[in-house]
Amino acid sequence: MIKLINILTEALTGNGDCYQAAGRLIMEFMSKGKLVHGMVNGQGSLEGKRFGHAWVEVGSKVLDHSNGKKKTI
């Protein structure tokens, strides 16, 4: 069970630009895409931590252009 105090003190800071990148990207896909904000689970060195993240979904594709990368999943 996740305790409220753990949710409130999860990774609140970071050096990423996902919110800005997703905001810019949704402007290209305004009528077809969805801007999504969520809490994601870290992997690798970030395993066990959750943090806020933003991306754009267009159909069945996830577009993540944060930190200068252009990932499509």
Side-chain angles (χ1 to χ4, degrees), residues 1-56:
M1 174 181 278
I2 298 174
K3 294 182 179 183
L4 179 59
I5 190 67
N6 292 340
I7 293 171
L8 295 176
T9 58
E10 287 178 302
L12 300 175
T13 60
N15 296 328
D17 68 346
C18 63
Y19 294 105
Q20 296 91 335
R24 287 188 301 267
L25 188 58
I26 192 61
M27 300 304 248
E28 293 179 38
F29 297 100
M30 190 75 75
S31 62
K32 298 180 273 183
K34 294 179 186 175
L35 176 63
V36 182
H37 295 109
M39 295 296 289
V40 297
N41 295 316
Q43 298 177 356
S45 63
L46 296 174
E47 188 168 348
K49 298 189 187 303
R50 290 179 358 135
F51 52 93
H53 192 56
W55 61 93
V56 172

